[in-house]
Each structure stands twice: as C-alpha cells, then as structure tokens.
Amino acid sequence: MAFDIDMIKKVYSQMVERVDKAREIVGKPLTLSEKILYSHLWDGTPDKAFTRGKDYVDFAPDRIALQDATAQMALLQFMQAGKEKVAVPTTVHCDHLILAKQGAEKDLKRANDVSSEVFDFLGSVSNKFGIGFWKPGSGIIHQVVLENYAFPGGMMIGTDSHTVNAGGLGMLAIGVGGADAVDVMAGMAWELKFPKLIGIKLTGKLNGWTSAKDVILKVAGILTVKGGTDAIIEYFGSGAKALSCTGKGTICNMGAEIGATTSTFGYDDSIERYLRATDRADIADAANEIAAYLTGDDEVYANPELYFDQVIEIDLDTLRPHLNGPFTPDLATPVGELGAKAKANGWPIKVDWGLIGSCTNSSYEDLTRAASIAKQAVDKKIKAKADFGINPGSEQIRYTAERDGILKIFEDLNATIFTNACGPCIGQWDRSDVKGDEKNTIVHSFNRNFSKRADGNPNTHAFVGSPEMVTAIAISGRLDFDPMNDTLLNEDGEEVKLDEPIGIELPPNGFEVKDAGFVEPVADGSSINISVNPTSERLQLLTPFEPIGNKIEGAKLLIKAFGKCTTDHISMAGPWLRFRGHLDNISNNCLIGAVNAFGKKTNFVKNQLTGEFGGVPDVARAYKSAGIKTIVVGDHNYGEGSSREHAAMEPRHLGVVAVLVKSFARIHETNLKKQGMLGLTFADESDYDLIQEDDTINFLDLNEFAPGKQLTIEFVHTDGSKDIIKTNHTYNQSQIEWYNKGSALNLIKRQSA
Ligand code: MIC
Ligand code: SF4
C-alpha cells in the first residue's frame, strides 16, 4: 500500500472539477503541466488564467522531500517558525553525507560514526515535527521518492534540484531552497512564476545501445544549461509511451541540468506497471479512474505548436548514444566522435574510472543493462581496464539486485559496490588512484560534471553517459571506444566485440527488501527536545538576518566572477558538506571556486582596505568587520546547479548585500530573495565590463524599490570617473517585504507571533 493514500485520493477527487474549470477559463485544451498547476492553486478552484513566464502564482504542493545536506539548514529555519508539526507530508533522506571509500559496509559504518551528530539531529527534529525519516543507507532521496511517494498528477517540492526526477511518474516535482520548503511546512502557500512550457515530442523507439539517458543528453545539447530556465518540459508522443517509467525518471532528473523548472510525462502503461511493481496498486487503481486528467489533452499532443511555447522533436529510432562533457553537462558528443574531439582539445583518452548509479540512473533496468555488458566482458575474458564503482539508488534496488545475481556480475568485474547514497556524485569520494591535480578522465552515469565535482580535482575530465555505455567505456579504458563498431582484445589475444545491452524493465520476481530504512515519526512529538551543542562545529542555531535597508552607499566589490559560476563554485560540496548545518563554518567556502575576473585566479581577491590580496571569505569578513557592505558581480546563469541555499546564506552572512549578474538560475535567484538580499541583472549586459576591481558602489534609488522598476547603481572608479548603470529585478511586492524584513523567515516569524 502507498504512503499517504488518503491525501492522494483527495487530490484526485478535486482534480476533475478543477481541470475542467481551468480548461474553460484558459479557453483551450490543456497540457498535463497546466492541469497539474491549475489543480494545485492555493486558492482552490481556478478563477482566472495566468500568463506564462510572468504571473507569480501561489501553489499548494502535496508533499515535501529534504535530503540531509540541505535539510539541516531547512530544519534550522523551520524550528524558528513556531509550528508544532509540518503542514504537509514531509520526509528527510540521509544520502549526501556518506563518503565512498572501501565499499558499502565499511563506508556506512564510518559515516554513522563521523556524522552521528547530524543524523541524530535530523532524526529527532523529524520525529518532533511529524516528518518521515530515511536512515543513512536507505537510498538516494529521488529514488526513494520515486519508489514510495511520487504519484501521477501530484505536485511536490524538494530541497534538491533533482527533485524533478519524480516527473518520471507523471508529477510536477520541483527543486527549491530550504526557505521555500519552510513556507510549505509551515502551512503557507508556495510561490512560483507561472512557467513557460516546452513540449518535446518523442517518436520511434529506443534500440541497440541507445537509452533514455541519451534522450536527455541530446536535449541538453540542444537547449544548453540555461535553455529550460523558467520552463516546464513536457514529453509526449509514441516514443514517450514506449519508455519505461524509470527511463522517464532519468530524463526528468537531468532536466535540472538545463535549468528547467521541472519535466514531466503523462500517465501511461509504463507508469502503471511501475506503480504496481512498487506495491502501489492503490494509486494505479485511483489514477486509472481519472486517467484522462493525468495526461495532456489529445488536441495538445496532435498540434503541440499551438499549445507550447517551444516544441522539439526527437526520433528515438535514429538517436545515437552520447557522452556529454567535460566540465559541463550540455557539451554533447555522439559516441564514436569523441576520440577526435578529445585529441583536438587535449582531453585524456585513457579512462581511469567508470561510475554508475546515483539518483539519475540506478533503476533495475539500468543495472540489468549495464550488467549485461559486464557479463559479456567476464564471459569473453576481457579484463576491465578502468576501475569501476556502483552506487545503488536505494536499499530496495540493492537488495533486489543482489538477490537476482546482478551485483555478483559487477563484482566479478572487480567493481566496488558503494553505499546506497550519492557518494562520488557529490564529491564524497576518497579517491586514491590519482594524486594532486593530475590530469585524468572519468566516465559516469550521474548528471553533473562541473569542475572539481566528483573528486575535488580541477583536472578531472568527467563525461556523462548511460550506465551501459559507462560500463563499456570502463571495460575498454578508452574515451574513444565505440562499442557499436570497435573490438577489444581479450586475454587470449582474440578480438571480441560487445553485443548490444539487454535490460529488464522490472524484476520478474518483484522488488524485495528486508529493512528499507524508514523511521515513522511518533504521533505526538511535542515532548521531544532538540538541543544543539553551542560548541558544535557541525550545527549552529541561526541568528535572524538584519534588514539591509534602503541605503547602500560606499559598498565595495567582493568579487567579479568570470565565466561559469555554479552553486558548486559558490559553495563547494565534497568535504564542505560537513558544515552544512553551521552557517559560520561553511561560510569559509564562500565563492572560493569562483574565478576572479581580475587576474583569473580562484579565491584571490583584492582587499581594498589594505590593498592586499586574500581569499574571498577572509576579505569578506574584513569588510564586514569594518562595517562595509559588499556586492558580487557575475556572468550568465549564475548559481546554476544545486538548490543549496548556503550559496545565498553564506554571502548574506558575510555582508554581501547584492548579487548583480547577466542572468540567474531560477532556484538561486529565489534563494537570494528569500534571504533578504538583492538579486539584480544588468539591463545592458555589456555593463559587466564597466565594473572595475577598486570601485566604490552607491545605490541611487533603492528607497524607491518597487515591482517592475529598475534600480540605478553608480560605480565610482579610482580615477574619479563614474559609470551609472540600470539594473533589472523580478521582485514582486511580497518579495520586497522579505527584503524589508531581512528575510522571508523573519516575516513568517512575525506572522506566527
Ligand atoms: C547536487 O546534485 O548538486 C546536490 C548535492 O544534490 C544538490 C543539493 C545540495 O547541494 O545539497 C542539488 O542538486 O540541489
Ligand atoms: Fe545525490 Fe548526485 Fe543525485 Fe545530487 S545528483 S541527489 S548528489 S546522486
């Protein structure tokens, strides 16, 4: 039986009336995305149509998921909101804090020792406030959500950008910062700009080496890392129906890499099969009763150009397997063409590691397809040239894969089976084969490959591919290997070829698990006390931010970031995940990965008070103690990647008042607003070039801060000359209130008091 089935039935019971009403108001057939959006309005039944890409709308999500690395800050904020219980079903998943080193058993034990303080804190806060708790080792948040909580037609938010994975089950699942989750946990509406809609029509059928992963690798190549910003991507067509539910999940998961608000698929047979296979026949039965409401209207899919803002068509019959990278997930190259490209660019051809799993690609189908390649290597006497590691997505997947002999196949290839957790995908990887900054190549089936992400080494060239392609490449040990055309030499000196992968969509003997790792909260948690040790280096209670006020004069430039500046550059993960619950300590990584436009070095900026250069956090702290406000300047898609609100809270804590960039990634822009800061964009992009290292900065009309009104900023250069520039912002009136009060949380606290 499904969790929270009554909630799901309630959603379905309202859906028919709300969708019918929306269709009448909008005056035309509806996409699935619109059906879900209009049936989740905070105000109930729709009474007006919204303008895509423009109107801010209040929504009522059905559920929330948090993972350990973001939950700490989210729950530290929620604890201040003055509530007894969470207002909607919520879960916490311990998956990001487990270092991959020696294999599952030892690694999990070590993590439970090293991070017991944090896990105990998350466990007791969950118990107190009625939150379901998934222990370390239970699996990666998005797999566990897909297996247990996602449902067609639902809307959820999660404090992780890959929450969007649940779109594979026909949901609108959206990644947010912790402060957004706090709103909903506290029983308030969740605000989102009504998204634009991109329709992707899939025709044909996947075949041979091509997998669901290649659909999204291709889409990333077409749309680039910012092409999905402020849009929902809806997949449809015969090719979509032919994909497995978990394959759909993979495609939706990596929608985060193109900045999409979320991605989704209409309810169909494969989704029904997955629901039944994961013991949720009750949801499948309920969904079948309103099936037409859980997918787009026929007219929409027949003439998509009339209903979507943009339409892309991909023919799965001819789609080729891809490898994307290095350093960015949208650099798409068909397998077979990578050798020449790598040579031209100096990317190492030798592959040192193949890694599969993660929240993106660890389904039963993924593992069986990869295992079918691994088995051939063993049978045909080929030794894997690269090291090989696997992070199963959940204990249920791991247990079932072990029972069915799949893990044994990988072990025969000398693979290390790591914990059911994020591991190397988030830099939780104690990699011993490469020393220092040595140039090297790895391939993985994860979603992100930003610089330094997996192992902290800026010279690790990471390429993203399907699990079966990663397996083949790892076996060959070469980036230019094309398993469709090339042969390998086996131990007997014979040339052998790998046959096409064969996968099994769902386990023929059903999923099985002994201890899934779930802890249900007590019914009444009011007597549970949460204590945070004041000397802890991992957890720190929050002190409310003071409002910045409407006078910013004499501010200094902390850093002008050059080029790609993701949340990994702003607040690195890996070893720093250890401080995610301690704002002051984690602030010591603030912007240390960003490249300074002056001098092109990382973590090396001028302190204008002394004329000396220092690390970004140190210089920021120097300005802060001198009572000087600072600003950060950046390029396009600033804050791409993670939902981590630390990337906003750290600069805020260190005295940064405004972040001025060419464009923002959606979640990060909201995170800045929530923490009571100014997130601004250049009205004229080329003004970025006017800003100099020693500038003194004055805001000229901040006292007139209002929706839709530009803000004017004066940059006074050291030679006495000035540039006065216009900046845009997207604050509405209530978001300006967050700024005025110092943060959104300060406002909630006032309201509950
Ligand atoms: C990621 O994949 O970058 C993460 C780590 O899961 C983040 C969340 C975090 O920073 O804790 C995300 O995707 O939001
Ligand atoms: Fe974990 Fe990687 Fe998925 Fe993020 S992308 S949730 S780090 S597995």
Side-chain angles (χ1 to χ4, degrees), residues 95-96 140-142 160 162 358-360 422 425-426 447 453:
D95 54 0
H96 281 63
I140 307 174
I141 175 170
H142 312 303
D160 190 284
H162 294 107
S358 89
C359 64
T360 339
C422 304
C425 180
I426 193 52
N447 37 37
R453 179 162 170 110

Side-chain angles (χ1 to χ4, degrees), residues 592-623:
I592 62 175
V595 178
N596 184 359
F598 307 101
K600 305 286 187 307
K601 288 193 185 152
T602 53
N603 203 24
F604 197 69
V605 293
K606 188 163 177 185
N607 175 344
Q608 293 185 50
L609 302 173
T610 60
E612 279 163 19
F613 284 79
V616 183
D618 292 341
V619 172
R621 286 186 197 273
Y623 287 127

Side-chain angles (χ1 to χ4, degrees), residues 346-408:
W347 304 332
I349 298 282
K350 176 172 170 282
V351 173
D352 290 318
W353 268 90
L355 297 156
I356 65 172
S358 89
C359 64
T360 339
N361 271 106
S362 52
S363 65
Y364 194 80
E365 186 179 40
D366 286 330
L367 294 184
T368 50
R369 278 176 72 86
S372 78
I373 302 302
K375 183 157 188 328
Q376 289 180 55
V378 176
D379 292 349
K380 296 179 186 178
K381 298 192 191 163
I382 318 169
K383 277 230 156 63
K385 299 273 186 319
D387 287 321
F388 196 59
I390 302 170
N391 280 88
S394 71
E395 175 57 12
Q396 171 164 284
I397 280 283
R398 193 210 61 79
Y399 190 94
T400 309
E402 179 168 61
R403 178 200 69 190
D404 294 352
I406 299 167
L407 295 189
K408 169 84 175 49

